[in-house]
Each structure stands twice: as C-alpha cells, then as structure tokens.
Amino acid sequence: MKLSTKSEYACLALIDLAEHYAKGLIKSEDIARRKKLPKKFLDQILFTLKNSGYVKSKRGSAGGYRLAKTPSQITIAEILRLMDGALAPVYSVSTYFYEKTPIEQNKKMLKILKEIRDYVAEKLEKTTLADIVS
Amino acid sequence: MKLSTKSEYACLALIDLAEHYAKGLIKSEDIARRKKLPKKFLDQILFTLKNSGYVKSKRGSAGGYRLAKTPSQITIAEILRLMDGALAPVYSVSTYFYEKTPIEQNKKMLKILKEIRDYVAEKLEKTTLADIVS
DNA sequence: CAAATATTCGATTATTTTTATAGTCTGGCA
DNA sequence: TGCCAGACTATAAAAATAATCGAATATTTG
C-alpha cells in the first residue's frame, strides 16, 4: 500500500473541499493554489471523484466543486481504493482486489501480510474526512 | 508498501534457502523450479542479495547459494527494504527513506500514515526467515 | 588438461504504471 | 453574445518494474 501521487492529491483535494464545506462551490483552481497541486491533473482527479459520486460539480463562471456527502461520510479507505486499488501489501491478501501472487506459496508469510492488510484497512475505513480536516 | 514481484521472489528464494539450510549449497535452478520463479530474474535477485550480504555463493559445477546468516538473523523488513525501499505508505513518514510529499500538508493524515508505517515496520522487523519456513 | 556446469554482471529490452499536458466541447451566467 | 469553468478524451513523457541475453569467469569432475 504505497500511495501514488494521485491518491495524495485526491486526499488533499477532498480535504480542501471539506475545509470549505460550508462555502458552497469551490473552483478547482482555488484548490490547486491552496494545496499546491497541478491544476490539470487535479481536474482529472476531480473528474474521477465525480464519476464515483464523491463530489458534485457545476459548470459556468459561478461553477466549481463540492462534496457529494458530508465529510464524515467519506472514508480515506474508499478514496485510496478508488485511486490506487488494493490497500493490501499484495493482491493475494486483498479482500476487494484478490488475485493470485507467488507469495501465496508460503502460508505463514501470507498470514503476516493478511494481518497488515487488516490493520491498514480497519484504520483507514474508520478515518473520515471529518477526522482529518485541519 | 505494495510488494513488487521482485521482493516476493526474493522472500521465496530466501525461504527456500532457509528450508534447505542444512544441505549446504543450493543451485538457483533448484530454487527456481521449486518456487516457480523465472531463473534469470532469480539470478539477478540472488546477485543483489549476495552483494548485500544475505547469501553467499560458490561457482562451478558443485556451486550454488546458501544463507550468509542463520534464518533467525534475517528479518523480512530488511529484505523488503533492500528490494522495494521504504515500508511506509508515503516517503514522508519513512524513517530510512524520508522525502517530502504533498500529504505532509495535513498533519492529522500524516499521523495516521505514521501509525501505519510503525505497525508494519515493527511487525516485519520482528519476523525472521526462521518464523516463516514451512 | 578438457568438458561441463554454475555463478557473475552489465547491457538491453519490454511492459506497465505513473504523472502530466493539450485541446476541444459544453453548459451557465452576466 | 461572450466569457468562464468544468467535461471529457486523447496522448505523451517519464519512471518503475519485470524479464531476458550473453559473454566471462570460476570450479569440479573425468
């Protein structure tokens, strides 16, 4: 579970939207400036977040983005799974992205990796945007 | 901390050497066959392991590889760090591979990631080859 | 010594993933 | 109508990952 730049950006963007949750629509340009993210790349990420129902948007000169749910309804786990796939250290211990991998040959090693995946999944599933807004 | 194929192969190779620890020199071909690894890629991995002092080798028709230490002296953590780098989910919470990353902007998120890195590091640092031989 | 065998080690290639940019289109507001 | 901001697709640059090749060298055995 190494976070890609993309998932770091996605988290920061959602955090920004959570921080300005009361203000209505936020322009991607403002998010990019505040969080120091490349604007066009951010647009692409927001597009993905929109398609998956985490944010809503409005076009036009008074347009922008806002969260589609309250900050406490969005967990970090779902965002990372959307952007990076499995939280697990190997696919063979992933609950949602299971796939065979060579290490499956060793049951004891697999058990340890599974414990790691469970710790990470549980921790990130109970952490919501509301918990990390600054 | 998503394991690369390479680090899975490295673990399996070392496990194989640990399983045959008493038998002296083991040919890479035998490891490749037993653990179903691509021979040439495995050779490259064994070469890295040798340069870092985890295995010793001997050439020639009666050559092969053996562990340079006892199975209980080799931790999974060091092997993964050698092959993949940081165990941490982001470099900005890595102890041995620290580097700035965007998520550092949010202290609460960073704290959670740090807890994950600590759990993973502690767990893998106390797991040795001796613990996982089958 | 010669043949066979196994590691050495750099080079190279292939593939995938990651990161990012470009550009056109479309809807909304003044 | 004309600008503004998101919508969406395409594509490309860069980096990481995965794997292969092949000649060189060392060692054992016949």
Side-chain angles (χ1 to χ4, degrees), chain A residues 3-128:
Chain A
L3 272 62
S4 65
T5 305
K6 195 163 163 176
S7 62
E8 287 196 46
Y9 288 175
C11 289
L12 286 170
L14 290 170
I15 288 167
D16 195 81
L17 289 178
E19 283 165 359
H20 301 89
Y21 189 56
K23 294 189 189 163
L25 294 168
I26 308 293
K27 296 190 204 315
S28 72
E29 197 188 327
D30 293 337
I31 303 174
R33 184 175 26 76
R34 280 193 290 258
K35 294 295 188 280
K36 303 185 188 71
L37 314 177
K39 162 88 166 60
K40 276 290 192 180
F41 196 17
L42 172 62
D43 284 345
Q44 199 173 286
I45 291 166
L46 287 168
F47 180 63
T48 300
L49 290 172
K50 192 200 139 187
N51 286 339
S52 300
Y54 293 105
V55 304
K56 293 199 170 183
S57 66
K58 196 174 181 188
R59 298 207 224 188
S61 55
Y65 293 91
R66 64 179 180 82
L67 294 182
K69 314 175 185 186
T70 65
S72 65
Q73 287 172 325
I74 300 176
T75 71
I76 300 302
E78 26 183 4
I79 301 310
L80 297 185
R81 286 201 182 102
L82 175 65
M83 294 295 157
D84 285 350
L87 299 180
V90 291
Y91 287 120
S92 49
V93 298
S94 172
T95 302
Y96 299 111
F97 299 85
Y98 172 81
E99 210 173 289
K100 262 185 148 19
T101 82
I103 205 69
E104 278 192 85
Q105 295 176 57
N106 187 285
K107 298 305 172 199
K108 290 182 186 170
M109 183 73 192
L110 207 65
K111 180 164 176 274
I112 289 164
L113 294 176
K114 181 104 180 89
E115 285 165 12
I116 288 173
R117 119 80 230 186
D118 288 344
Y119 176 87
V120 172
E122 199 206 312
K123 189 161 197 90
L124 296 179
E125 275 161 7
K126 76 178 186 200
T127 303
T128 71

Side-chain angles (χ1 to χ4, degrees), chain B residues 67-99:
Chain B
L67 294 182
K69 314 176 185 184
T70 65
S72 65
Q73 287 173 326
I74 301 177
T75 71
I76 300 302
E78 24 183 6
I79 302 309
L80 297 185
R81 286 201 183 103
L82 175 65
M83 294 295 157
D84 285 349
L87 299 180
V90 291
Y91 287 121
S92 49
V93 299
S94 171
T95 303
Y96 298 112
F97 299 85
Y98 173 81
E99 210 172 287

